[in-house]
Amino acid sequence: MGQRSVTGGRPRDAHIDTAVLDAVSALLEEDGYRSLAIEKVARRAGVSKAAVYRRWPNRQLLVLAELERRMGGVEPPRTGCTLCDLDEALALFARTFRCMGPEFFSPLLADCSGDEELHRRFMDTLFDPPRNAVRDTLERARERGDLRDDVDLTLAVDTLASLVHYRLLFGHAPVDGRETARAVAVLLRGLARDFAALEAEAVGHSATSHG
Amino acid sequence: MGQRSVTGGRPRDAHIDTAVLDAVSALLEEDGYRSLAIEKVARRAGVSKAAVYRRWPNRQLLVLAELERRMGGVEPPRTGCTLCDLDEALALFARTFRCMGPEFFSPLLADCSGDEELHRRFMDTLFDPPRNAVRDTLERARERGDLRDDVDLTLAVDTLASLVHYRLLFGHAPVDGRETARAVAVLLRGLARDFAALEAEAVGHSATSHG
Amino acid sequence: MGQRSVTGGRPRDAHIDTAVLDAVSALLEEDGYRSLAIEKVARRAGVSKAAVYRRWPNRQLLVLAELERRMGGVEPPRTGCTLCDLDEALALFARTFRCMGPEFFSPLLADCSGDEELHRRFMDTLFDPPRNAVRDTLERARERGDLRDDVDLTLAVDTLASLVHYRLLFGHAPVDGRETARAVAVLLRGLARDFAALEAEAVGHSATSHG
Amino acid sequence: MGQRSVTGGRPRDAHIDTAVLDAVSALLEEDGYRSLAIEKVARRAGVSKAAVYRRWPNRQLLVLAELERRMGGVEPPRTGCTLCDLDEALALFARTFRCMGPEFFSPLLADCSGDEELHRRFMDTLFDPPRNAVRDTLERARERGDLRDDVDLTLAVDTLASLVHYRLLFGHAPVDGRETARAVAVLLRGLARDFAALEAEAVGHSATSHG
DNA sequence: CGATAAGCGAGACGGTACGTCAAGTCTTATA
DNA sequence: TATAAGACTTGACGTACCGTCTCGCTTATCG
């Protein structure tokens, strides 16, 4: 929500903030992002248009606020086992993404492109947090010495994260735990110093099947 | 362009088709996708609004037509060397995507979501063709016996293709030949029956450095 | 229908003339004059737009043609009795007017005002014929010596005719034989050389009650 | 102008009301009723289309508002002399009608037919007021005992009023004070208990010549 | 008999206006 | 100052007709 000068005047009504975001949420579900109009949001929230504009200067930031609210915090897993952590991180990634509504992610991103500042805000809020969970996991794997020395971490993160985003955005194939686990396996075979060792360890944890 | 019954009536003026698409092209460059209005397109093309609507019933299909025009045909490479083919296919993929204007890809996709038919048209036109070039290449590699038996082809294609789309869509990291070559190398290490052999062959072709 | 040079070419299809006028008739009844569009007429008649425009250059003349067709010929009555003739002439007037659809009369007139030629055509076709039936009757009455010498004939005709048009156009009061007969009586009391004599004669004919 | 709930909100700008009606007035004079388009009105008034639609939902009510403004109030004459009052009432009637632009009366009426509510509004605003001036005059004459007992007042009013409307609508004959005076004379001869007495009284007032 | 000429259905074409919608800004009165 | 209500300009939406035109075809009359 918009920062405010603290001095004087009537204080903002906090109920309005939630009422507006609730209305955004409902309208997104009902009519999708494209036909989400601030005027409708205000009407639905039983709030004046000005009250909305006072808090969020445009619909991009308004929707961003709602999706951020939905996303909640993202905590990376720390089991100590590289393969298990990665599986879990990717599953978390997918879950987070899915619960914020992948169908709003794409148009919002599209709407934020073209403006430097908006794009940055989008990335900071929705893109980086879940992605960093994956990155952290990989970094810990490297510190543990599980990865080859010449690994390009950004490339590795992208290869994993992009798969999830890709499928959810285009919807041409499903994303489930089995699929992501396989992707992790294939990739790690290319990245790991000793893939067989990692596999053995993971079987010990018996978290997921790495066949 | 809109299909037509061939019988009777004054034939459509082909100049109008190109004039409109040219106008779309110019306006996309100048103002981006978001503020592309059919009314402006018609004005710019020196053409009546009805003439535009007669051919393309909405702006999604209009822009789709223009991007399709830009993309042209996509022919997968056939050098006979798996690593070289893959490098080339991915480079082609990136090139195709870039020349059609990656900044319009995302908002157009966003605009096509929510309508079954539009989404299908989008995928058929812009998504599948370059992607299939990669898939074909991988299929030939498998037929040649270069890949492990348990390879999930769709997963492999996605892992490679998504990387390009991902970076170009979110713009958080550049995409160049060196990067894609590295991604191919990492992935093939996980997919290949005998990665060293492939590498040796590719060095013989001296196409790109596979270090 | 439009006049034509007789020489050469394919002759016009007479079926089209009637098909078009029938369509006009139907559309007038269904949607009224205001929303009568030539394009709709052509569609309804199963005829091309050009075929309509070839015959009638605009919708005013088109509707005029249809109303003229409806009106048919107007023959003034000749009973020889002034009061009876007048009653009958006025009844004929009302009947004619009503059968051509008074609700189209007003908007058509309105549509024809503003163009000299159109207005003249309207008056010649729809206004003058029934009105002249009344005028003829009054003229014969004067020749018979039934009217005062200083009677202004145009004023007299207008006073009678306007009443019918007036009520049918504005619809604020009904028009029936009893009402028009009363109007005739009142007016004749002011115009006649000897009203009582006329009344006596009419009672002899026992056509209508002139009390 | 459109009625509004008085509570809250920014009040309507009164300048806009007049600017719009002025524009309507100018455009009516220049191009007539038929080509009066709300879009043009707004342009001419230097006002947005929405501002016009907010006040008047269609062009009929818009023009009605302008003609009402032009018409002003109608006060029936009260000289105490029946013939003089009638002459004056009819002259007032004609004057009122003429000053509001008889050429717009007809197409507006035509445009209002077909819709119950619009027609009523038209009658209430433009038809009844001047007509009631005539009716009042006749009613006072009857109370004074100047008219025969069996007079049908509605018929009498129509006979006088229709003449003016008739001639002005169809434009086939002029309307001036002399003509209307003659019509009054003829009609009164048929309606009056003692026409000669009325005539004598009027000559005393020397208002107009009743020969 | 074949040339000429017009009729005809179909539908493209540039216009113009329709009536609606939302954007983002503003003005007022009230809290 | 925030708030609700709503006026305001701007600009596009997608639709509907206008009256004109081009096309390929059909149906007459005339030389």
Side-chain angles (χ1 to χ4, degrees):
Chain A
M1 286 141 234
Q3 61 289 7
R4 270 233 301 140
S5 59
V6 206
T7 45
R10 173 172 168 178
R12 290 215 181 136
D13 184 346
H15 297 340
I16 292 186
D17 296 70
T18 52
V20 169
L21 291 184
D22 288 350
V24 169
S25 185
L27 288 173
L28 279 178
E29 297 309 329
E30 286 167 25
D31 305 331
Y33 178 89
R34 287 207 49 219
S35 59
L36 183 123
I38 296 212
E39 206 146 349
K40 279 193 217 160
V41 169
R43 221 156 32 223
R44 174 74 157 248
V47 145
S48 79
K49 245 202 309 183
V52 178
Y53 275 108
R54 205 169 291 123
R55 280 148 234 254
W56 299 278
N58 50 54
R59 74 167 184 171
Q60 289 96 327
L61 288 172
L62 176 54
V63 175
L64 204 51
E66 164 57 16
L67 294 195
E68 186 178 9
R69 188 175 71 153
R70 288 188 183 190
M71 196 175 63
V74 179
E75 273 314 305
R78 296 180 165 274
T79 64
C81 156
T82 292
L83 271 185
C84 305
D85 271 14
L86 269 179
D87 283 348
E88 185 48 38
L90 227 58
L92 172 73
F93 190 107
R95 233 178 299 126
T96 303
F97 190 51
R98 231 194 301 259
C99 92
M100 93 172 70
E103 63 273 30
F104 315 131
F105 192 81
S106 165
L108 179 55
L109 165 63
D111 236 19
C112 290
S113 309
D115 181 85
E116 188 69 36
E117 166 67 8
L118 273 177
H119 189 253
R120 202 182 51 65
R121 296 267 270 133
F122 176 90
M123 297 300 270
D124 288 353
T125 311
L126 299 183
F127 183 83
D128 287 334
R131 188 181 135 90
N132 285 343
V134 178
R135 162 162 234 124
D136 286 358
T137 308
L138 276 174
E139 254 162 12
R140 262 176 294 114
R142 183 161 63 180
E143 280 158 19
R144 250 187 259 116
D146 286 347
L147 303 189
R148 294 162 49 121
D149 292 331
D150 60 346
V151 163
D152 176 341
L153 216 66
T154 299
L155 189 64
V157 175
D158 276 6
T159 311
L160 287 172
S162 70
L163 186 70
V164 176
H165 269 147
Y166 194 56
R167 293 201 164 180
L168 287 175
L169 280 182
F170 292 100
H172 63 291
V175 188
D176 57 31
R178 178 170 302 264
E179 298 267 350
T180 53
R182 263 162 112 173
V184 166
V186 168
L187 196 74
L188 261 284
R189 222 192 292 271
L191 296 174
R193 195 182 297 278
D194 182 354
F195 181 64
L198 294 180
E199 237 179 343
E201 185 192 358
V203 170
H205 279 81
S206 74
T208 18
S209 66
H210 290 276
Chain B
M1 285 139 236
Q3 59 289 7
R4 268 236 303 140
S5 59
V6 202
T7 43
R10 173 172 172 176
R12 294 225 177 123
D13 184 345
H15 297 339
I16 291 185
D17 296 69
T18 53
V20 169
L21 291 184
D22 288 351
V24 168
S25 185
L27 287 173
L28 280 179
E29 298 308 330
E30 287 168 24
D31 305 332
Y33 177 91
R34 286 206 49 220
S35 58
L36 183 121
I38 296 210
E39 205 144 351
K40 279 193 217 161
V41 169
R43 228 166 14 234
R44 174 73 156 250
V47 143
S48 76
K49 238 196 319 178
V52 179
Y53 276 109
R54 204 170 290 127
R55 281 148 231 256
W56 299 280
N58 51 54
R59 72 169 186 170
Q60 290 97 323
L61 288 172
L62 176 54
V63 175
L64 206 49
E66 164 58 15
L67 295 195
E68 185 178 10
R69 189 176 72 153
R70 288 187 183 191
M71 198 175 62
V74 179
E75 272 314 304
R78 297 180 165 273
T79 65
C81 156
T82 292
L83 270 186
C84 305
D85 271 15
L86 269 179
D87 282 348
E88 185 48 38
L90 226 58
L92 171 73
F93 190 107
R95 233 179 300 126
T96 302
F97 190 54
R98 231 194 303 259
C99 92
M100 90 171 73
E103 63 273 30
F104 314 132
F105 190 83
S106 164
L108 178 55
L109 165 63
D111 238 19
C112 289
S113 309
D115 181 85
E116 188 70 35
E117 167 67 7
L118 273 177
H119 189 253
R120 203 184 49 66
R121 298 267 272 129
F122 177 90
M123 297 299 272
D124 288 352
T125 311
L126 299 184
F127 182 83
D128 287 335
R131 190 182 133 89
N132 285 343
V134 177
R135 160 161 236 125
D136 286 358
T137 308
L138 276 175
E139 255 162 13
R140 262 177 293 115
R142 183 161 63 179
E143 280 158 20
R144 247 187 256 119
D146 286 349
L147 303 189
R148 295 161 49 119
D149 292 332
D150 60 345
V151 162
D152 176 339
L153 217 65
T154 299
L155 189 64
V157 174
D158 276 7
T159 312
L160 286 171
S162 70
L163 186 69
V164 176
H165 270 146
Y166 194 57
R167 294 201 164 179
L168 288 175
L169 280 181
F170 292 100
H172 63 290
V175 187
D176 56 32
R178 178 169 302 264
E179 299 267 351
T180 53
R182 265 163 109 175
V184 167
V186 167
L187 196 74
L188 262 282
R189 222 191 291 271
L191 297 175
R193 196 183 295 276
D194 181 354
F195 181 65
L198 294 179
E199 236 179 344
E201 184 192 357
V203 170
H205 279 83
S206 75
T208 18
S209 68
H210 292 275
Chain C
M1 287 135 233
Q3 61 288 6
R4 268 237 301 141
S5 59
V6 204
T7 43
R10 171 174 172 177
R12 293 218 180 129
D13 183 345
H15 297 340
I16 291 185
D17 296 69
T18 52
V20 169
L21 291 185
D22 288 351
V24 168
S25 186
L27 287 173
L28 280 179
E29 297 308 330
E30 288 168 24
D31 305 331
Y33 178 89
R34 285 205 53 217
S35 59
L36 183 121
I38 296 212
E39 205 145 348
K40 279 193 219 161
V41 169
R43 222 157 28 224
R44 173 74 156 248
V47 144
S48 77
K49 243 202 310 183
V52 178
Y53 275 107
R54 206 169 289 125
R55 282 146 232 255
W56 299 278
N58 51 53
R59 73 167 184 170
Q60 290 96 326
L61 289 173
L62 176 55
V63 175
L64 205 51
E66 164 58 15
L67 294 195
E68 187 179 7
R69 188 175 72 152
R70 287 189 184 191
M71 196 175 63
V74 179
E75 272 314 304
R78 297 179 164 275
T79 65
C81 156
T82 292
L83 270 185
C84 304
D85 271 14
L86 269 179
D87 282 348
E88 185 49 38
L90 226 59
L92 172 73
F93 190 105
R95 233 177 300 127
T96 303
F97 189 51
R98 231 194 302 257
C99 90
M100 92 172 69
E103 64 271 29
F104 314 132
F105 191 81
S106 163
L108 178 55
L109 165 63
D111 234 21
C112 289
S113 310
D115 181 85
E116 188 70 36
E117 167 67 7
L118 272 177
H119 189 252
R120 204 184 47 67
R121 296 267 271 135
F122 176 89
M123 297 300 270
D124 288 354
T125 311
L126 299 184
F127 183 82
D128 287 335
R131 190 180 133 90
N132 285 344
V134 178
R135 161 160 235 126
D136 287 358
T137 308
L138 275 175
E139 254 161 14
R140 263 179 291 115
R142 183 160 65 182
E143 279 159 20
R144 247 187 259 119
D146 286 348
L147 304 188
R148 296 161 48 121
D149 292 332
D150 59 347
V151 161
D152 177 339
L153 217 67
T154 299
L155 190 63
V157 174
D158 276 7
T159 312
L160 286 171
S162 69
L163 185 70
V164 176
H165 270 148
Y166 194 56
R167 292 201 166 179
L168 288 176
L169 280 181
F170 291 101
H172 63 292
V175 187
D176 57 32
R178 180 171 301 265
E179 298 267 351
T180 54
R182 264 162 113 172
V184 166
V186 167
L187 195 74
L188 262 283
R189 222 192 293 270
L191 296 176
R193 194 182 297 277
D194 182 353
F195 181 65
L198 293 179
E199 234 178 346
E201 184 191 359
V203 168
H205 278 83
S206 76
T208 19
S209 67
H210 292 275
Chain D
M1 286 139 235
Q3 58 288 7
R4 268 234 305 138
S5 59
V6 204
T7 43
R10 174 174 171 176
R12 295 226 176 121
D13 184 345
H15 297 339
I16 291 185
D17 295 69
T18 53
V20 169
L21 291 184
D22 289 351
V24 169
S25 186
L27 288 172
L28 280 179
E29 298 308 330
E30 288 168 25
D31 305 331
Y33 177 90
R34 286 206 48 219
S35 57
L36 184 122
I38 295 209
E39 205 144 350
K40 281 193 216 161
V41 169
R43 221 152 35 220
R44 173 73 156 249
V47 144
S48 76
K49 240 197 319 180
V52 179
Y53 276 108
R54 202 171 292 125
R55 280 148 232 254
W56 300 279
N58 51 53
R59 72 169 185 170
Q60 290 96 322
L61 288 172
L62 176 54
V63 175
L64 206 50
E66 164 58 14
L67 294 195
E68 186 177 11
R69 188 175 71 151
R70 288 188 183 191
M71 198 174 62
V74 179
E75 273 312 305
R78 298 179 163 274
T79 66
C81 156
T82 292
L83 270 185
C84 305
D85 271 15
L86 269 178
D87 282 348
E88 185 48 37
L90 227 58
L92 171 74
F93 191 107
R95 231 179 301 127
T96 301
F97 191 53
R98 229 194 303 260
C99 91
M100 90 171 72
E103 64 272 30
F104 314 133
F105 190 83
S106 165
L108 178 55
L109 165 63
D111 238 18
C112 289
S113 310
D115 181 86
E116 187 70 36
E117 167 67 7
L118 273 178
H119 189 254
R120 204 184 49 67
R121 297 268 271 129
F122 176 89
M123 298 299 272
D124 288 353
T125 311
L126 298 184
F127 183 83
D128 286 335
R131 188 182 134 90
N132 286 343
V134 178
R135 161 161 236 127
D136 286 359
T137 308
L138 276 174
E139 255 162 12
R140 263 176 292 115
R142 183 161 64 179
E143 280 159 19
R144 249 188 256 117
D146 286 347
L147 303 188
R148 297 162 48 119
D149 291 332
D150 60 346
V151 162
D152 177 340
L153 217 65
T154 298
L155 189 64
V157 174
D158 275 6
T159 313
L160 286 171
S162 70
L163 186 70
V164 177
H165 270 146
Y166 195 55
R167 294 202 163 179
L168 287 175
L169 279 181
F170 293 100
H172 64 292
V175 188
D176 56 32
R178 178 170 303 264
E179 298 268 351
T180 53
R182 267 164 106 173
V184 167
V186 167
L187 197 74
L188 261 282
R189 223 192 292 272
L191 297 174
R193 195 183 295 277
D194 182 353
F195 181 63
L198 294 179
E199 235 178 346
E201 184 192 357
V203 170
H205 279 84
S206 75
T208 18
S209 68
H210 292 275

